Amino acid sequence: MKIYSRRLTQILLLLLVIFAASASVFMKMDYKPSRDWRTETKQLIQTNEERLKLAELSPQLQAEAENKIKIAKYRLENNIPVPFGNPWLALLKLTGLVEMVEIVAIIIAADMVAREYTDGTMKFLLIRPHSRTAILSSKYMAVSLFVLMTLILTVTCAYVTNILCYGVGDIHTTDLFLNQEGQVIRLNVFTQVIKMYGLSIFPIMSYITIAFAISTILRNSALAVGSSLLIMILGNSMIEATAKIEWLKFLLFANSDVSLYIFHLPARPEMTLGFSISVLLVYIFGFLFINWIVFKKRDVSI
């Protein structure tokens, strides 16, 4: 009730809906039906081969170019055109939706406990016949359910907008992807969309857990939001650095974008989806434990 009754929450949800719809519309505006897909595919190969000649190209961008070349050549050899005008394929390209959900989730999670201290209502919670563990757990569960709902709302809004732009499309549409061994295979686009957005719940949960823990420890909403957003921004910029420094793969940052595995672009060749999920789970449970210890032992004047 506290989450959904707040004007801030309503504004953030409205902004998410507008962003999701706008992103789909802008993608549609850039959409140009292919007249000669073979010629365009050859141009794509040439463009990426020229990119590979650049000395300052990062390892991740180099891998992305190599992947595009490999898939493009497979299309030409097997006469498989790109499935244009599919709402699910367009949704697969809107990876920025997850980052927007992360920002909203961080803002709400960072305010869950800190606001109780700021408003002076924490003491009224603690004098009730409920343990501190129950109080903290209920707040974490509430923000977790909110995040899940927010992700579903955002993806649904983007998909509905895609339907208006491209039509319903075929749910059985397939496209070319690279598997873990780097082999080109045909996979169902709808399944890949479910996989990408479904797995994104792990990095989202890791960020809200950090924000939730900072909120409890610092008891300041502004510091919790700022610190968590800074960690998120640094995390996105640290992914490329992981390709050069091996030990960085054990940090949360290097595993915060699971969509890279959908497109076969891990931060390091030895990193797998299972490894990244395991690392994220370790951080989630670690921060939850620290959060519980601090909240359990902290004195609150009544």
Side-chain angles (χ1 to χ4, degrees):
M1 291 175 60
K2 287 183 177 179
I3 292 177
Y4 292 100
S5 63
R6 294 187 62 193
R7 184 63 59 87
L8 174 63
T9 302
Q10 298 167 6
I11 293 175
L12 289 174
L13 290 177
L14 178 61
L15 290 176
L16 266 182
V17 170
I18 294 174
F19 175 82
S22 301
S24 298
V25 171
F26 287 139
M27 180 175 289
K28 171 61 178 178
M29 292 173 63
D30 291 336
Y31 167 72
K32 297 178 181 178
S34 177
R35 297 181 179 180
D36 185 359
W37 71 270
R38 297 188 68 89
T39 300
E40 292 179 1
T41 304
K42 291 177 181 178
Q43 292 176 348
L44 178 66
I45 294 175
Q46 183 178 359
T47 300
N48 283 279
E49 285 179 343
E50 292 176 356
R51 288 180 62 194
L52 290 176
K53 297 177 182 178
L54 300 176
E56 67 275 8
L57 200 65
S58 67
Q60 191 172 26
L61 292 178
Q62 182 177 356
E64 181 183 8
E66 292 173 348
N67 291 348
K68 288 182 178 179
I69 292 173
K70 187 180 294 186
I71 292 177
K73 289 183 177 179
Y74 190 92
R75 288 192 190 279
L76 294 174
E77 294 171 359
N78 296 273
N79 197 32
I80 303 176
V82 178
F84 289 99
N86 185 277
W88 294 109
L89 192 60
L91 193 60
L92 194 62
K93 297 178 181 179
L94 293 175
T95 55
L97 295 181
V98 175
E99 294 182 355
M100 290 302 298
V101 172
E102 287 176 348
I103 293 174
V104 172
I106 285 174
I107 294 174
I108 299 300
D111 203 39
M112 282 296 290
V113 179
R115 193 179 181 211
E116 299 284 0
Y117 286 108
T118 303
D119 294 345
T121 54
M122 180 59 75
K123 58 186 177 182
F124 297 111
L125 287 176
L126 298 181
I127 62 176
R128 296 188 179 188
H130 301 290
S131 66
R132 293 196 177 196
T133 301
I135 293 173
L136 193 66
S137 299
S138 65
K139 286 186 171 294
Y140 185 76
M141 290 173 62
V143 74
S144 299
L145 292 174
F146 168 79
V147 167
L148 180 61
M149 184 280 298
T150 302
L151 179 62
I152 294 174
L153 173 66
T154 306
V155 175
T156 301
C157 181
Y159 174 64
V160 171
T161 308
N162 285 343
I163 290 179
L164 297 177
C165 293
Y166 305 101
V168 178
D170 186 3
I171 198 173
H172 302 292
T173 299
T174 60
D175 197 15
L176 300 179
F177 298 89
L178 294 174
N179 60 13
Q180 189 172 338
E181 290 74 30
Q183 300 172 332
V184 181
I185 56 176
R186 296 192 71 162
L187 294 174
N188 182 272
V189 176
F190 170 74
T191 303
Q192 291 296 91
V193 169
I194 297 299
K195 182 179 178 181
M196 184 178 78
Y197 287 103
L199 291 173
S200 67
I201 196 67
F202 290 100
I204 293 174
M205 288 301 298
S206 65
Y207 281 123
I208 71 166
T209 304
I210 292 175
F212 193 77
I214 296 176
S215 172
T216 303
I217 296 170
L218 299 182
R219 295 186 290 183
N220 186 295
S221 300
L223 284 176
V225 171
S227 302
S228 302
L229 290 177
L230 178 61
I231 291 173
M232 176 184 168
I233 295 172
L234 290 177
N236 293 336
S237 62
M238 287 287 288
I239 292 178
E240 291 189 6
T242 307
K244 302 177 181 179
I245 305 175
E246 183 177 359
W247 63 267
L248 289 179
K249 68 180 181 181
F250 295 104
L251 298 181
L252 181 145
F253 315 126
N255 303 275
S256 60
D257 190 355
V258 294
S259 66
L260 296 177
Y261 293 101
I262 302 295
F263 303 104
H264 190 63
L265 293 170
R268 294 188 64 84
E270 69 271 17
M271 293 175 64
T272 63
L273 179 60
F275 172 82
S276 290
I277 292 177
S278 299
V279 171
L280 292 175
L281 287 175
V282 169
Y283 278 97
I284 289 173
F285 287 112
F287 276 103
L288 280 177
F289 180 73
I290 295 173
N291 193 23
W292 176 74
I293 292 294
V294 172
F295 188 73
K296 190 87 171 173
K297 294 185 176 182
R298 170 164 284 162
D299 292 330
V300 178
S301 58
I302 297 178

